[in-house]
Structure formats: C-alpha cells, structure tokens
Amino acid sequence: MSYAAYSTLEFEQQGPCLTIWLNRPEARNSLTQRMGEELCTAMRQAKQDAEVRVVVLRGRGGVFCAGGDLKAFRSMGEMGQDARELAMSFSRDGARFLTEVQQLPQLTIAAVEGAAMAGGFGLACACDVLVTTRDARYSLSEIRVGLVAAQIAPYVIQRIGFARARQLMLLAPMINGEEAFDMGMADRLAQDAGALDDEIARLVQNTLSCSPSAIAASKHILDIGRAGISDTFVQEAARAFADCLVSEEGQEGFQAFMEKRKPAWVP
C-alpha cells in the first residue's frame, strides 16, 4: 500500500513495521489541524494495510512533538465571535485522531526523544507502548499558557493513573525520560537515540512472534474491559475468545505448538 500525498507526515515501511514521522521539524512537530487530519487518514490507511503489524510514531528533527501550535491558537483566539466554534472544532478533531491511534488493531509504539509536550504528551500516551530516551522532556504545559489538557486527559489517566495525572495537569512540572520510566509512564528506557532504535527493533521482533489477529482482539478486550466486568463484557470476551480459537491463526498456533515449530505468522 502506498503512503503518499501527506504534507505533515513522512512514512518509512520496513516489512511489517510502518514508521510514521511527524514532519514539521521547523516547528518542533507541533500539532496543527492539518496534521490531525493527516494522522486520522494515516491511521485509517494503516488499519486496512494487511502487511502492517506494528506502527511506530516518531518526530523528525530529534523532537517527538511540542504540543499544539500556539501561533495557530493565538490566531484562532483573534477570530472574534467565530473563535469559540473554531476552538471547539480543533478540539474535536484532536479527539478523533487520538481515538484512531488508540483503536488501531496493530501494536503502536511511541518513540519519544527531545520532547513530548502537551498534546504530544497525550499522543504518546495513546500508543500501546511508550519508549523514551533518558533525556527526553515531558510536560502537560497547557495550564502555563492558560489552556487545559482536555481531549488528552483520558489517555494520560489511563497510562499513569488519576492521582499522578492530576498532579501533572495542575502543576505542569517538567519531567525527563528517566522520571517518566520510573513512574510507569514509559515502558522502555533508552540511553540515547541509537539505543532508542535498538529498543524499537526488539519490540518489533517480539510483536512479530505474536498472532496479529490475537493482538487486535486483545486490544479490543482491553478497551472494553476498562469499564469493568458486566454482562456485556462477558459476552464480548466470550465472542473474542471463541473467534480466536476457531480462526485460522488460532488453529495454526495450536498446530505449531504441537509440532514444536514457529507459527506461520513469524517471519
């Protein structure tokens, strides 16, 4: 599948791993409405790409994402009576691309170096796995410019818990990658950019040993399981388990185990 005609993103595909680069290095990859729209489109395209099993989000120029484009926000605020509706539209668009990232059936990896600020912080939290360099910087800095970390709040809470999210949202401290790892926000810690590449390679290799359809089913169960156990969850979990068990990949997994060989989905 061809990934082209994007102005704020770049793509690198190596076999089953698709890396999506945020590509506004001159603006530290700050989020614009155009980038949000392109992220939505890219996620939907990747979702339909049977060859892609891992999606990595990174930032060009040694920075993951500096958050929302403050120049655009300022211009939006100067639009008079249209400003409020424009701001609400931008926020709703942000919710859409974050949802697309979280609901992608493939494993998603946020590879953070440089900085993940405000909306960039939230984007990293929306991914399944967060890998960070030791000296990367993080902050929910919205409150320091009179804004609120709005659409990203659920993703931050899911990743680090309510109490810690409250402290980061209300006090806006700056933390580094090592602190993010220690608090459980980051899943892997890399010494530098080179080690970051190595961690990504290990994660990709590990993912390729797992059934693609089982990963997608597991992500679905984790998503609906956040609300707790209910009759609806029990039925949906039973359906997902049964679908996997009788699927071609499920049967291949059993057969490979019995024959002491790797399943067909392992490259």
Side-chain angles (χ1 to χ4, degrees), residues 1-223:
M1 186 176 291
S2 175
Y3 295 86
Y6 289 85
S7 64
T8 67
L9 306 175
E10 284 188 350
F11 300 83
E12 288 181 8
Q13 188 162 1
Q14 296 181 320
C17 179
L18 175 67
T19 300
I20 300 177
W21 293 89
L22 308 184
N23 189 35
R24 299 185 68 234
E26 73 287 351
R28 302 177 71 234
N29 299 316
S30 57
L31 296 164
T32 62
Q33 189 162 15
R34 180 64 179 271
M35 183 181 281
E37 291 168 354
E38 292 193 347
L39 278 167
C40 274
T41 303
M43 293 301 120
R44 291 166 186 160
Q45 190 174 358
K47 189 175 185 177
Q48 301 301 319
D49 192 338
E51 293 183 12
V52 173
R53 294 172 59 182
V54 183
V55 175
V56 181
L57 288 176
R58 301 189 71 169
R60 289 293 191 198
V63 175
F64 182 71
C65 177
D69 188 323
L70 295 185
K71 290 181 180 178
F73 290 167
R74 182 178 180 181
S75 297
M76 198 181 301
E78 294 172 345
M79 296 297 288
Q81 58 184 331
D82 295 328
R84 181 177 177 80
E85 186 52 45
L86 287 169
M88 290 188 69
S89 176
F90 180 89
S91 182
R92 288 191 295 263
D93 287 345
R96 276 191 282 273
F97 80 71
L98 289 168
T99 298
E100 292 288 351
V101 171
Q102 188 178 58
Q103 293 184 351
L104 206 64
Q106 297 97 329
L107 186 87
T108 55
I109 300 172
V112 179
E113 56 184 318
M117 313 293 283
F121 190 122
L123 177 59
C125 287
C127 293
D128 298 318
V129 182
L130 198 166
V131 187
T132 184
T133 56
R134 192 176 295 275
D135 62 354
R137 291 168 292 117
Y138 298 82
S139 180
L140 292 174
S141 53
E142 289 90 340
I143 202 167
R144 294 190 181 275
V145 294
L147 295 175
V148 57
Q151 301 292 356
I152 66 173
Y155 301 93
V156 177
I157 292 168
Q158 289 165 21
R159 181 158 279 275
I160 63 175
F162 178 78
R164 204 176 291 276
R166 177 171 56 189
Q167 294 300 307
L168 294 181
M169 286 180 65
L170 296 180
L171 299 176
M174 183 78 73
I175 62 173
N176 61 30
E178 189 166 4
E179 291 170 309
F181 178 74
D182 288 342
M183 72 169 59
M185 175 185 169
D187 303 296
R188 299 284 192 279
L189 182 65
Q191 183 64 37
D192 51 31
L196 187 69
D197 292 336
D198 294 339
E199 285 291 344
I200 294 168
R202 281 191 283 271
L203 283 166
V204 170
Q205 192 63 35
N206 184 80
T207 303
L208 297 183
S209 70
C210 303
S211 158
S213 60
I215 286 178
S218 295
K219 290 186 65 169
H220 175 61
I221 289 300
L222 285 164
D223 189 43

